Amino acid sequence: MARYWANINEANMVEKVERVEGFESKTDSECIDFVKALNKNTDNWIECYKQFDGNPRGSFPAVGHVYLTTENVFVPQKPYPSWTLSDDQTTWKPPVARPANPSWTQDAEITSEELTAAEKIWAWDEDSQSWV
């Protein structure tokens, strides 16, 4: 089974994710020494996990994700200052829930206003703290 290590810069942003094969029984420090030598750097490397459910480090990081040291998780960059970390610490959530699109059956008659509402693409407006 492969182990994964994320290279974190001084701003705690992920710059690279390295897959390491054959190190299942090695210590963390042995793995870190290997990825440092492989990448010819002494930067900060943090183990990350590819699993989706129950990931102990939030989500599997990609380049540009952020490592939150206090929470010990990787998350995408925070999209807006007002958003907070979700309960499962994998995503950011807005202070106001996104409006639900109306639902109907295929053979139901819908008005042009309902159709327009259903096709609307919602965007967050940070100034008004609302979906527009």
Side-chain angles (χ1 to χ4, degrees), residues 69-91:
T69 54
T70 305
E71 293 83 359
N72 192 25
V73 296
F74 293 98
V75 293
Q77 289 185 27
K78 190 174 185 177
Y80 299 98
S82 64
W83 289 33
T84 57
L85 198 57
S86 63
D87 292 338
D88 65 0
Q89 298 185 329
T90 58
T91 58

Side-chain angles (χ1 to χ4, degrees), residues 62-129:
V63 172
H65 276 64
V66 178
Y67 176 67
L68 303 176
T69 54
T70 305
E71 293 83 359
N72 192 25
V73 296
F74 293 98
V75 293
Q77 289 185 27
K78 190 174 185 177
Y80 299 98
S82 64
W83 289 33
T84 57
L85 198 57
S86 63
D87 292 338
D88 65 0
Q89 298 185 329
T90 58
T91 58
W92 296 102
K93 63 180 183 178
V96 176
R98 183 175 183 252
N101 290 329
S103 61
W104 61 85
T105 60
Q106 269 189 337
D107 40 328
E109 291 186 35
I110 58 172
T111 67
S112 61
E113 292 83 19
E114 288 172 328
L115 182 60
T116 301
E119 294 173 345
K120 182 172 182 142
I121 298 173
W122 294 100
W124 179 254
D125 179 51
E126 184 68 7
D127 293 336
S128 67
Q129 297 282 296

